Amino acid sequence: MRPKVHDIASLIEKIAPLPLQESYDNAGLICGDSTMEVTGVLISFDVIESVIDEAIDNDLNMIVSHHPLVFSGLKKITGKNYIERCLIKAIKNDIAIYAAHTNIDAAPNGLNKLFCNKLGLKNCRILSPSHIELVKLVTFVPKNDATEVRHAIFSAGAGHIGNYDHCSFNIEGEGTFRAQEGTRPHVGEKGITHHEKEIRIEVILPDFIKEKVISAMIQAHPYEEVAYDIFPLKNHWMGAGSGMIGDLPEALDTITFLNFVKDTFKTGSIRHTSPVKDKVKKIALCGGAGSFLISDAIAAKADVFITGEIKYHDFFNSDGKIVLADMGHFESEQFVKELFEEAIKKNFSNFAVRLSEVNTNPINYL
């Protein structure tokens, strides 16, 4: 049985939840019927007309891209530019288009983590954590059912603290209740006050997944009426955000490191400021347009900050404290396609997944 468009979308959103996208972004399903069966997926960096043609030629009716085809609202679709022409052609040929953009940039195991892996960085962490608030979930479970309920809560995404998962606090106590008419109690008898040995389970989770976690908990919980509390917390989730920072296995000469980056990412050139010190080891990075993180990289005492777009005047912000390096927008994000491909192939075997052969980078180098 073939997956549907919403199955592919849900899979990607497990890696890159939509609430992680920036306010200006338009990640998610751009066009197409979410209930349509998928004949195959074409994975591309951008969506341009030749990418739509490639999907048609290979009988693939879903395109997953990094950059959304549509960023802002459209009042007319007349084919006057490539965006409108792509939409017309996709709709005529029943092709769904989905994008994961700043949400996969910000995800803990998203684009920037892959960027770190390509450079072999160790001890990686988010450079500028998100401002997503945390909440605490507290529930009360019969002692013999606590393991199953905890597992459901963890599987739904709760209980992460830094690089640790399955984090919870548990206290044993006694709960009381009396079942009324019309109830079907899991334990005890109607009309008689029952005493039950229970475990109080406490976990923390990002606020945006609380409905998912609560649903999973209720499904796994043996009680007909589940008692639980949600407490808002002042602290923020540190597990997602902009950019990353990590350490090279060993210090390298600045130019040697930049040449390593150039070779690894096959970029036409790297624009950079003058070396500040003989050797570099702590590297901050951000795929795409990341110059807004220069001050964060300096504050984190990075030796180099490498990203995909730095304007002329922003280079002056290095201020002799850090090496700033601009490797090109496309080059810094090009490997994001690997994340999509790996996730889809891992979860849907014997299913057509094709990496686009169209080079969508509009920039050429002499």
Side-chain angles (χ1 to χ4, degrees), residues 44-112:
S44 182
F45 187 70
D46 301 286
V47 178
I48 56 178
E49 291 167 272
S50 53
V51 170
I52 304 284
D53 291 334
E54 185 180 14
I56 295 170
D57 292 342
N58 289 279
D59 192 29
L60 307 172
N61 67 345
M62 184 173 184
I63 296 172
V64 174
S65 71
H66 181 45
H67 289 147
L69 174 62
V70 178
F71 270 101
S72 55
L74 295 173
K75 293 186 176 180
K76 297 179 181 179
I77 303 178
T78 60
K80 69 177 183 295
N81 56 41
Y82 86 92
I83 295 173
E84 295 179 9
R85 290 192 296 271
C86 282
L87 285 172
I88 292 170
K89 184 173 287 190
I91 292 169
K92 279 185 175 180
N93 289 276
D94 289 328
I95 295 174
I97 300 176
Y98 183 93
H101 188 213
T102 54
N103 51 323
I104 205 164
D105 292 345
N109 291 303
L111 171 64
N112 288 312

Side-chain angles (χ1 to χ4, degrees), residues 25 43 77 125 139-140 149 158 171 178 189-190 210 299 322 329 331-332 348 357:
D25 203 4
I43 299 172
I77 303 178
R125 63 186 187 277
T139 191
F140 309 87
V149 173
I171 305 172
R178 185 171 65 176
E189 298 180 22
K190 291 181 183 179
K210 67 183 178 186
I322 193 172
H329 194 120
E331 289 79 6
S332 70
F348 298 102
E357 296 179 359

